[in-house]
Amino acid sequence: MTALFADHTLRVVALGAGLLGAVSGALGSFAMLRRQSLLGDAISHAALPGIAVAFMLTRSKAPVVLMLGAALAGWLATLAVMTIVTRSRIKYDGALGIVLSVFFGLGLVLLTLLQKRPDASQAGLDRYLFGQAAALLVDDVRAMAIIGAGALAVLAVLWKEFKLISVDADFGAAIGLPVRLLDTALTSLLVIAIVIGLQTVGVVLMSAMVVAPAAAARQWTNRLGPMVALAAGFGVVAGVGGAVLSSIVARLPTGPTIVLALSGLVLVSLLIAPARGLAWRALRRGQHRRTVEADAVLLDLYALALQHEEDLEHGHDEAVLRAMRGGQINVRRSLEKLAQAGLARRTGHGRWALSAAGRARALEQIDHAGEHA
Amino acid sequence: MIFGAANLFSGPAGSAALRGWRAAVGVAVAVTVGCSGDEVGPTERLPAVATTTIVADLVREIGGPDVSVVSLMGPGIDPHLFKPSEGDIARMSRAAIVFYSGLHLEGKMTEVFERMRQLGRPTVPLAECVPVDKRLTAAGFSGVYDPHVWFDVGLWKHAASCVSEALSEHDPRHADAYRERGRRYLERLDALEAAVRRRIEQVPAQRRVLVTAHDAFAYFGRAYGIEVRGLLGVSTAAEAGAADVQELADFITERRIPAMFVESSVPERYVQALREAVESRGWQVSIGGTLFSDALGDPQTPAGSYIGTVRHNVETIVAALSEPSGAGHER
Amino acid sequence: MSRGLGDRARSWAIEVEDLTVAYTDKPVLWDVDVSIPRGTRMAIVGPNGAGKSTLVKSILGLIRPVAGTVRILSRPLDEMIGQVAYVPQRSQIDWDFPTSVLDMVVTGTYRRVGWLRRPGAREKEQASDALEKVGIAALGRRPIGQLSGGQQQRMLLARALVQQADIYLLDEPLQGVDAPTEHALIGVLGMLRDEGKTVVVVHHDLQTVEEYFDRVLLLNVRNIADGPVREVFHDENLRRTYGGRVGLVSRPQRRGSPGIDAVKG
Amino acid sequence: MSPQIEVQLIAVVVAVAAALPGTFLVLRRLALVSDAISHAILPGIVVAFFLVESLSSPVLLIAAAMTGLLTVVLIELLGQTRLLKEDASIALVFPALFSVGVLLISRYAGGVHLDVDAVLLGELAFAPFDRLVVAGHDLGAKALWSMTAILLLNVVLISVLYKELKLATLDREQAAVLGFAPATVHYLLMGCVSITAVGAFQAVGSILVVALMIAPPAAAYLLSDRLSVVLILGGVLGAASGVGGYWLARGIDGSIAGSMAVVAGLVFLGALLFAPQRGLAAQLHRRARQRWSFAERMLLVHLLHHERTPSAAEETAGHTVHRHLRWSERFTAEVIRRAEAGELLRREAGLLQLTERGRQIAQRALLELDERDGLGELGGRDRRRRAGRTIPGGAVEE
């Protein structure tokens, strides 16, 4: 492992992706909980006119200049979205859709105007939106570390306020918090994180980095603190893991590998996270179903016993029991379950009868049903 | 109804638009009346459209004063990322003949040109003038070819012949002139090719390696015996992996390659990342300069023409690679 | 400060004057005047869309009115923002948010804790006490998403309790809760009154108004009537609040303070 | 037909075709599904390319549309777990699918000019030159035909399923209870969205589709409460954005698709600012006006209440009335001045007297208070919920 990380490229890429994962995992948790999952997608489209204008004004393709342009446009887009949502009946998703497509359209128009200039230096301007994770530079990582640490520090300082406006904004306002200001601050942090990621690792990876770690982390815990920590952790794991994988296997692009690692984390979390996981849910449902089925067979057996004056020695054919349920349920499995619980017993080949405990249980159930009727 | 909508724009601010509108109607009439080049009057120049600056340059050279060439893509425009504007409709409508690169370089536009050809409008794909057996196929997909044929000057001669043939056919009145200019241009290309070979030979054989960000120089490499290594594929959607960067960095270090090159249409960061990786391996590689890959340079500069661009690229490459041991050296 | 003003400060918890709120051309609240004496339990009743929640939010300063003023403990609302304990409607909260019941209750102390500081052991203790008072002390560690409707409502009341305010505003706290919860909540409200707090509740169940409250505001965009329950909570006023068109009624509309009403009554 | 006119025709058809399903996307809070589809179709195109080894085969298009539908299905499946919010599902699905596409290209087809741009994204400026040719006859621009077909498909589907779509949009559970199979309706609608998106990508380019699907219907939604009106108005505004965008592009010689998106944005901005009821200007104006008109009406009602009552002299005296209304003297003077100017009241012996007009207005104001009519059709979800709790005509809720 240490040999692996001795390589400069892997070290830079893994460090950068890990940092980005940590920051966007933490900030993304808030975004996801506040239904802003698609903000990353929107900002990355909205950055295009910012990049075009920054280039028009400075005639420079320096990353800092373009990043500032992108950040400004992204921030304006976010404000536009917030304005539309608070001042009209258009919901968040609609506002995002409008703002992202209109900003991008504006960017397109600006690019066509730029294309007309007899100036070869504007080439590939829009490729700045598609940064590549494998081409991270030491300076990028340094910038990410500084800005990321700043963003996390703000998050830590305003933690309880951010938490309150996310779960119950009106109550926040009622106790006197400046909700709009806090809202803008939290969203701005996210914009910063997204824009850094944008030109280094690209649009799609950034969209995934914001949502996926949070979505995975949410399944494992019901507390905000652990969730944010876990999301940051997932972000790091996927970032570093994807980087390592893409440096072991040739022609495995780093960004998509990280996205797929994140998606895998989400999938696994959805399936097996304790309490919420789908696998557990299915297991519980199956258990419940088996219990209900066994109870039904138990009652059937009791009904048959009644026909024989509650003679518990008299065995009944499994086929009869199956016929009573019209093949709807697995009678054999239910009988075996009852036998295991000592409620029924096998009296002969394919014949079954209730035990004394089974009879008591059946009576109990009938009483219970009577109470509810 | 559409006309009604158009008239809405005839207010004070819309008068320019209205003028444009009238011009457009005029053009439309002209197009329906005189669609093919045969009907161009004796004193008029044949209106031609070219997609990339490279194609436009070739058509200008051979068409000379008899053809007016409009290039859809300006200097520096990566054909993969070209965005047409409204004026391109009129430019296309006006054209008696369209020259494009083809082999899917222009993406969806290629299909449009093919369909136009089926309807009898002359559209000429220059890269497809290169015989199939001389084309490079893309990574195992038969029938899908690398479109960047122009950096093999020998192959570009096929394109030049194609242009003079096509012009002669569609504008027979100037056929002699086109053939004559074509012949002379071919001579210039011959001279260019000889010069390129001479210059390349000055680079020590083991250093004849061209490292760039993307795979546009495969034909160039094959023609002049230069090994070409790129970080990205042709597709703008493709992405490099960390292993690709490491591999290329190892290669540069092992071969003691002194310089890498930046392309005008690809952000520099890819090459910079590579340089950092190489540096960490104890070798210093310089960035040898900017190469023009899919588009020519600024019109006023020497790199504004195809021949000038090839010279620029070759001089840049030779200068950087043959530097004794100044830029690239072990630390 | 004059003595008269001091008396007033002692007597009124909330004074709403000429409050008019409109989202569109139709007012939601129109010229509402109501004064709520300190230490009383007051119900706000009225049909749907009568502006009950809007009135509550206006008193909290969450909504900017077109006209009118609100005074809390005889001071302008602007100075008093955050000093009224608030139980919002349950639907306002994102119940899927990952946080525990105790943490949620602790948010009630945030104003006291202030900026830059974290709530500590003392705040947690206060929150636990509040949960005890509403009868769900055992649920402190449970995620809010796993609460039943009644438990959610108890938690929200507990959060208001830790605000340690003099005035409590509750928006439909008894809506859709089970009988034991209703009983527990009413018990807490009684306790608050015994402590001299003022409690204002948006209420929907007319059957229980007389049992639970000592004052009532009948609201339907306008203040139809307000005052002690036994004086204003009668069929005529209810008909005017809920029933068909009010039109021009023979009795002059009650204006001014409920104190005057009481004298008139 | 000149290509310029054809471009505008295509723009109009695309805009209307996009606005119809877009209306439901906006109302169902699925607006960004359209953007998600535009990214997520990449792997479909790549796999289809591997099968046919051609960049211009129609199989690629079909695969793109299928992948679009797959995207919707995956989003829906994730949503059904109820472990994630809808927007998170969208934001998880499309990067994953897109990454699969990029990975496949990078590993197996890096040398091929294979990406969404090159394979799928058409360009409006070239649409007139891409002709439909049958047996040597030029039948017009291909995009015009394909988008007209898609428009018809959308019109037919939406008119046949109008009732079901409306119900499923307003109240999905209710629709299920009434046996309207909201899931089927949802997938039919989403199939439409996917086909429209891919068809429009091919004709005009990607981001424009998102703009045309979302912005015009959203603008229409600000202007009307009726679903049918929103649908039609969305189409009209979309068409206007199309034509307007073309002329903007013409004026500045810029990207037509981009200009259309910009104009669609401006149209939305216009609606946001100037919608008669909900616009920001209307809101501001209303606040300013309400201040005076509410005050005026309040004064009139106050006077009405005290007409011919014993306390009239005290309550309606011009110089004391402000105390009863708890207004400042200056404010009261201004309200009285305005009411006098409007001939709503007059001064008689220092007392304020209602004119006949003033009395009518006061009476109407009182009546209006009782007619707080419900929310519009599209706010029906709330109204129904509330209606369930009110016993009509009774004084008791629940």
Side-chain angles (χ1 to χ4, degrees), chain C:
Chain C
M1 194 174 276
S2 78
R3 198 170 163 234
L5 210 66
D7 279 345
R8 242 181 83 160
R10 227 172 288 124
S11 43
W12 300 127
I14 299 168
E15 295 156 278
V16 174
E17 291 171 9
D18 300 337
L19 190 72
T20 298
V21 178
Y23 302 117
T24 61
D25 267 341
K26 300 264 163 56
V28 179
L29 290 175
W30 206 72
D31 191 20
V32 170
D33 286 286
V34 61
S35 298
I36 302 169
R38 295 187 73 169
T40 53
R41 275 191 300 182
M42 171 143 159
I44 302 176
V45 297
N48 290 296
K52 298 177 301 239
S53 291
T54 303
L55 177 60
V56 166
K57 289 190 174 183
S58 304
I59 293 172
L60 289 161
L62 301 182
I63 288 175
R64 206 160 57 105
V66 175
T69 54
V70 173
R71 292 169 70 83
I72 305 287
L73 299 172
S74 300
R75 300 177 71 104
L77 178 61
D78 290 348
E79 296 172 21
M80 299 299 285
I81 290 219
Q83 306 203 15
V84 175
Y86 174 41
V87 176
Q89 288 192 10
R90 272 182 291 151
S91 60
Q92 182 183 305
I93 285 141
D94 175 10
W95 292 103
D96 196 36
F97 197 87
T99 189
S100 71
V101 170
L102 190 71
D103 277 359
M104 194 70 173
V105 175
V106 168
T107 60
T109 67
Y110 279 8
R111 189 188 162 75
R112 272 203 306 288
V113 173
W115 295 92
L116 302 182
R117 287 183 46 232
R118 290 284 170 88
R122 214 180 84 216
E123 281 76 19
K124 290 221 170 87
E125 205 171 302
Q126 290 166 345
S128 298
D129 289 349
L131 282 175
E132 185 118 21
K133 279 182 196 156
V134 299
I136 51 169
L139 302 184
R141 298 179 61 82
R142 188 170 290 190
I144 59 169
Q146 293 174 13
L147 297 182
S148 70
Q151 289 164 344
Q152 291 176 348
Q153 202 63 64
R154 291 178 191 223
M155 179 192 80
L156 294 179
L157 180 58
R159 182 176 69 173
L161 289 178
V162 300
Q163 282 186 265
Q164 298 179 351
D166 284 330
I167 300 170
Y168 287 78
L169 284 184
L170 293 78
D171 199 348
E172 301 255 20
L174 301 177
Q175 172 75 54
V177 301
D178 49 286
T181 300
E182 180 161 337
H183 195 74
L185 294 182
I186 292 303
V188 174
L189 297 191
M191 188 190 75
L192 287 174
R193 198 229 359 230
D194 295 344
E195 289 170 14
K197 314 275 191 188
T198 310
V199 180
V200 179
V201 180
V202 174
H203 194 56
H204 65 282
D205 181 7
L206 300 181
Q207 314 281 341
T208 50
V209 168
E210 285 166 303
E211 183 186 343
Y212 295 159
F213 301 97
D214 39 45
R215 293 183 77 84
V216 65
L217 164 65
L218 293 152
L219 186 75
N220 189 349
V221 184
R222 287 167 302 155
N223 175 349
I224 304 295
D226 75 274
V229 172
R230 68 195 129 71
E231 286 165 24
V232 298
F233 195 71
H234 51 69
D235 288 351
E236 164 67 8
N237 278 341
L238 282 172
R239 193 186 61 72
R240 290 173 56 206
T241 312
Y242 289 88
R245 297 187 168 188
V246 177
L248 276 175
V249 287
S250 50
R251 292 167 59 181
Q253 191 195 359
R254 287 169 187 276
R255 299 202 56 87
S257 68
I260 295 167
D261 280 346
V263 173
K264 276 182 188 165

Side-chain angles (χ1 to χ4, degrees), chain A residues 339-365:
Chain A
Q340 259 176 16
L343 300 174
R345 64 201 158 78
R346 215 186 272 266
T347 58
H349 187 69
R351 300 177 75 84
W352 296 77
L354 281 179
S355 67
R359 179 175 167 275
R361 175 75 194 268
L363 285 171
E364 204 176 282
Q365 294 234 336

Side-chain angles (χ1 to χ4, degrees), chain B residues 12 16 18 22-23 26 62 71 89-90 119 127 130 153 172 201 212 220 236 251 255 277 284 296 330:
Chain B
L18 186 67
R22 288 208 187 100
I62 295 173
S71 158
I89 302 177
L119 272 173
V130 174
V153 179
E201 269 164 27
T212 60
F220 181 77
T236 48
F251 175 82
R255 291 281 294 266
Q284 285 232 313
L296 302 178
E330 265 176 290

Side-chain angles (χ1 to χ4, degrees), chain D residues 82-204:
Chain D
R82 278 180 281 127
L83 296 175
L84 295 167
K85 296 182 172 98
E86 186 104 62
D87 63 329
S89 311
I90 298 174
L92 285 169
V93 168
F94 82 82
L97 284 175
F98 187 80
S99 293
V100 170
V102 173
L103 202 130
L104 288 176
I105 293 176
S106 306
R107 271 193 84 70
Y108 306 110
V112 183
H113 189 187
L114 177 63
D115 51 55
V116 180
D117 266 20
V119 175
L120 201 58
L121 293 194
E123 174 49 57
L124 204 44
F126 288 105
F129 303 100
D130 195 358
R131 318 296 294 182
L132 182 71
V133 184
V134 176
H137 294 286
D138 177 3
L139 297 179
K142 220 174 84 185
L144 193 54
W145 284 99
S146 62
M147 286 317 295
T148 307
I150 290 173
L151 171 63
L152 285 179
L153 175 77
N154 289 347
V155 168
V156 167
L157 186 105
I158 287 175
S159 39
V160 169
L161 291 179
Y162 182 75
K163 183 166 87 272
E164 285 80 1
L165 276 169
K166 183 171 165 182
L167 191 57
T169 301
L170 292 178
D171 188 340
R172 204 166 169 168
E173 279 165 32
Q174 178 83 353
V177 169
L178 294 179
F180 279 122
T184 315
V185 172
H186 176 75
Y187 283 120
L188 278 173
L189 176 69
M190 287 306 174
C192 265
V193 170
S194 186
I195 291 171
T196 310
V198 172
F201 291 158
Q202 198 211 357
V204 300

Side-chain angles (χ1 to χ4, degrees), chain B residues 194-205 208 224 226 318:
Chain B
V196 170
R197 288 194 193 285
R198 263 200 317 279
R199 286 296 282 151
I200 298 287
E201 269 164 27
Q202 289 165 359
V203 179
R208 285 182 203 158
Y224 307 111
I226 296 181
V318 170

Side-chain angles (χ1 to χ4, degrees), chain A residues 225-247:
Chain A
M227 175 182 160
V228 169
L230 204 55
F234 281 154
V236 173
V237 167
V240 175
V244 169
L245 213 60
S246 85
S247 87

